[in-house]
Amino acid sequence: MTIRIREIDHIVLRVSDLDRMLEFYCEVLGCSIDRRKDAIGLIQLRAGRSLVDLVPVDGELGRAGGAAPGREGRNMDHLCFRLETFDEASIVEHLEGHGVDAGRVTSRYGAEGQGPSMYISDPEGNIVELKGPPNPDP
């Protein structure tokens, strides 16, 4: 048997301020709440075909993970969302309208090849890469 990965299924973020994180991922990035299990402290957000799980550090699941994420410790480096289209001006305007600093757009390599990308930060300092479609072959 060979393991072949198709795409990211989900990512789990341990969070300190659930309301701010929900606002960022739902209002700024357009995710929606897919499922909630408040009894154990789990909110699953739909991000295209993937999920972003938010686990409050003061909930049952969150307490099991130890100290809250902070400046001296992270649970991940960054997550990358592949956008359907990449209109830099529209993305920057949208982000700035929500008080989010838009990072510099540069060409980066991803699962589908080289294409436009920018890094932003969510309210708790997690780095989120917004990646556009691959550049056309020259």
Side-chain angles (χ1 to χ4, degrees), residues 3 8 35 37 71 86 88 109-110 120 125 135 137:
I3 295 174
I8 293 173
R35 188 171 76 134
K37 294 198 154 249
R71 183 163 177 78
F86 198 93
E88 181 178 354
Y109 188 77
I120 60 174
N135 297 328
D137 289 331

Side-chain angles (χ1 to χ4, degrees), residues 25-56:
Y25 283 95
C26 293
E27 299 299 320
V28 177
L29 295 183
C31 296
S32 60
I33 296 175
D34 193 71
R35 188 171 76 134
R36 288 186 80 125
K37 294 198 154 249
D38 291 320
I40 61 169
L42 173 65
I43 297 89
Q44 294 179 297
L45 306 179
R46 176 64 51 192
R49 296 188 303 196
S50 303
L51 293 175
V52 176
D53 295 356
L54 302 180
V55 176

Side-chain angles (χ1 to χ4, degrees), residues 104-123:
R104 183 174 65 88
V105 173
T106 188
S107 184
R108 292 186 177 92
Y109 188 77
E112 297 176 302
Q114 200 75 25
S117 156
M118 75 167 54
Y119 290 124
I120 60 174
S121 293
D122 73 16

